[in-house]
C-alpha cells in the first residue's frame, strides 16, 4: 500500500467521521445510523475488493475504522449512561464493516446477495423503528410503553396542600404527565396532552387527566401553576412531595406520562403520543 493511498484513507476517514457527527446533530441519530451503515459497508466492500493482499486489506479496514474506535469507544466506556442514545449510531461503522467482510468472504453470488439483503433489511428496520424503540427503552425503561407494575406508595398534593387519595382513583384510570418548570420539551407536549384530555372528555370516558410537577429547588410557590395558566392551560395540577416518588414511578426522563389503573397499577409509561392504545383498550372493556 502506497503512502498516497494511506494518506487519502486517513483524511477521508476524518472528513467522513465528522460529517456523520454533524448529520446526527442536524437530522438525528437514526439518520446517522442509516448513512453510516451504508457508507462504511460500501467502502469496506470496495477496499476489500481492491486490496492486492491480505495485509493491505487489513490495513485498509483499520484506516477506515480507526477514528470511530479511537473516539467513540472511550466515550461510551467512560460515560455509558450519558451516551446510550448515540450508541447504535456509534456501532454502525463497526458492524457495517464486519458484515462487509463477511459478504466479501462468501464464496458464491447467492450467499453475497443474502448478506446484502440482510444488511439492507437490518439497516432500514433499525432506521424506521429500531431507534425509536431504543430511545423509548432509555427514557422510559420499556420498549412499547405498556407495563404492568404495582406502586403502593406515593405522595402527591395540590397547590392547597390537599393530598391525592388513592381511594379516589379506584375504578378509574388516571393519565399523569410528569414535568418541571425547566423542561422545554414538557411545554412542547402540553398541547397534545390538552387535546387528549378534551378528546376523551368528549367520549364521556371515566378517565382523569392531570399534570404532576416535580419541583425544582429554585421554584417559588405557585410558579408551576402560574406558568401553566399564562400559557392557557387549566390542567388539574399536583405536586411531587418526595423525590423518592420519582423512583417509585420509575421516572428518569421528563416529560413522562404514566397511566394508573385503580390508583395502584401502572399500565403505561412513555410519551403522550402513545396513550391511545392503552386508553382505547380500556374503553372497550
Amino acid at each position: 500500500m502506497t503512502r498516497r493511498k494511506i494518506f487519502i484513507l486517513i483524511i477521508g476517514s476524518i472528513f467522513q467521521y465528522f460529517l456523520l457527527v454533524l448529520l446526527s446533530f442536524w437530522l438525528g441519530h437514526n439518520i446517522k445510523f442509516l448513512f453510516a451503515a451504508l457508507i462504511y459497508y460500501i467502502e469496506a466492500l470496495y477496499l476489500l475488493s481492491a486490496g492486492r493482499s491480505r495485509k493491505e486489506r487489513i490495513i485498509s479496514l483499520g484506516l477506515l475504522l480507526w477514528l470511530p474506535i479511537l473516539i467513540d469507544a472511550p466515550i461510551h466506556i467512560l460515560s455509558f449512561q450519558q451516551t446510550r442514545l448515540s450508541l447504535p449510531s456509534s456501532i454502525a461503522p463497526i458492524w457495517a464493516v464486519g458484515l462487509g467482510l463477511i459478504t466479501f468472504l462468501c464464496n458464491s453470488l447467492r450467499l453475497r446477495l443474502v448478506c446484502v439483503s440482510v444488511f439492507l433489511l437490518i439497516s432500514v428496520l433499525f432506521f424506521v423503528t429500531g431507534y425509536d424503540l431504543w430511545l423509548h427503552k432509555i427514557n422510559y425503561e420499556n420498549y412499547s410503553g405498556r407495563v404492568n407494575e404495582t406502586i403502593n406508595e406515593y405522595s402527591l398534593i395540590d397547590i392547597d396542600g390537599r393530598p391525592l387519595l388513592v381511594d379516589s382513583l379506584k375504578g378509574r384510570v388516571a393519565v399523569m404527565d410528569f414535568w418541571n418548570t425547566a423542561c422545554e420539551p414538557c411545554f412542547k407536549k402540553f398541547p397534545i396532552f390538552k387535546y387528549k384530555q378534551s378528546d376523551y372528555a368528549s367520549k364521556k370516558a371515566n378517565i382523569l387527566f392531570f399534570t404532576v410537577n416535580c419541583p425544582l429547588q429554585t421554584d417559588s410557590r405557585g410558579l408551576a401553576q402560574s406558568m401553566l395558566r399564562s400559557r392557557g392551560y387549566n390542567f388539574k395540577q399536583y405536586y411531587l412531595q418526595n423525590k423518592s416518588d420519582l423512583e417509585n414511578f420509575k421516572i428518569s426522563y421528563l416529560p413522562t406520562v404514566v397511566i394508573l389503573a385503580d390508583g395502584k397499577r401502572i399500565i403505561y409509561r412513555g410519551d403522550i403520543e402513545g396513550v391511545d392504545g392503552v386508553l382505547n383498550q380500556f374503553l372497550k372493556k
Side-chain angles (χ1 to χ4, degrees):
M1 179 179 289
T2 63
R3 292 182 179 179
R4 182 174 180 272
K5 187 174 181 179
I6 293 175
F7 177 77
I8 291 174
L9 282 173
I10 292 175
I11 297 301
S13 64
I14 293 174
F15 175 78
Q16 177 175 285
Y17 175 83
F18 286 105
L19 185 63
L20 289 169
V21 169
L22 290 175
L23 192 66
S24 68
F25 283 110
W26 290 335
L27 300 176
H29 286 287
N30 59 333
I31 300 291
K32 180 192 173 185
F33 174 88
L34 181 62
F35 276 87
L38 290 172
I39 291 170
Y40 279 90
Y41 184 72
I42 293 171
E43 287 179 337
L45 287 177
Y46 170 76
L47 291 173
L48 289 168
S49 300
R52 298 179 180 179
S53 65
R54 182 179 180 181
K55 181 180 179 181
E56 184 175 338
R57 295 186 183 110
I58 293 174
I59 293 174
S60 297
L61 294 185
L63 292 174
L64 186 62
L65 287 175
W66 73 277
L67 201 57
I69 293 175
L70 184 65
I71 295 180
D72 292 339
I75 290 175
H76 288 294
I77 291 172
L78 296 174
S79 304
F80 179 74
Q81 293 296 326
Q82 292 79 10
T83 60
R84 287 183 299 167
L85 173 63
S86 62
L87 182 61
S89 63
S90 297
I91 293 176
I94 298 173
W95 90 269
V97 170
L99 195 55
L101 178 60
I102 294 173
T103 305
F104 174 76
L105 294 175
C106 289
N107 295 323
S108 66
L109 178 61
R110 179 178 295 181
L111 287 176
R112 290 187 176 185
L113 289 175
V114 170
C115 287
V116 172
S117 299
V118 169
F119 166 76
L120 291 175
L121 179 63
I122 293 175
S123 297
V124 173
L125 284 178
F126 201 84
F127 166 71
V128 174
T129 62
Y131 226 108
D132 288 338
L133 293 174
W134 175 253
L135 182 62
H136 208 281
K137 175 64 175 177
I138 292 173
N139 291 338
Y140 309 117
E141 299 188 16
N142 63 76
Y143 289 105
S144 65
R146 294 174 181 268
V147 295
N148 187 10
E149 301 168 356
T150 300
I151 179 168
N152 294 315
E153 295 183 4
Y154 54 90
S155 180
L156 304 179
I157 59 173
D158 64 16
I159 194 170
D160 297 316
R162 294 187 294 260
L164 174 65
L165 301 176
V166 175
D167 290 342
S168 67
L169 300 178
K170 286 185 177 180
R172 310 184 75 177
V173 170
V175 182
M176 310 163 66
D177 187 355
F178 288 79
W179 70 289
N180 69 30
T181 56
C183 173
E184 184 177 345
C186 297
F187 290 96
K188 292 181 179 179
K189 296 286 186 177
F190 281 147
I192 306 173
F193 188 81
K194 182 178 181 180
Y195 170 79
K196 299 290 185 185
Q197 182 183 40
S198 301
D199 183 44
Y200 284 97
S202 68
K203 298 175 183 177
K204 298 181 179 179
N206 191 24
I207 299 175
L208 299 173
F209 281 78
F210 53 84
T211 54
V212 179
N213 179 252
C214 309
L216 302 174
Q217 291 183 348
T218 55
D219 286 356
S220 58
R221 179 175 174 78
L223 175 63
Q225 194 80 3
S226 65
M227 291 181 74
L228 291 178
R229 294 289 185 268
S230 66
R231 289 166 172 80
Y233 300 122
N234 295 307
F235 305 133
K236 177 63 178 177
Q237 169 84 2
Y238 285 95
Y239 296 84
L240 206 67
Q241 276 196 294
N242 304 311
K243 289 185 178 181
S244 60
D245 284 333
L246 284 176
E247 298 178 3
N248 294 335
F249 281 102
K250 296 184 179 179
I251 306 296
S252 58
Y253 172 82
L254 296 177
T256 291
V257 171
V258 169
I259 299 180
L260 271 183
D262 296 320
K264 289 187 176 182
R265 188 162 58 92
I266 300 175
I267 58 176
Y268 177 88
R269 186 190 306 107
D271 53 32
I272 185 62
E273 291 88 347
V275 301
D276 290 334
V278 175
L279 295 180
N280 287 335
Q281 183 180 2
F282 176 80
L283 292 174
K284 293 177 182 178
K285 291 183 178 181

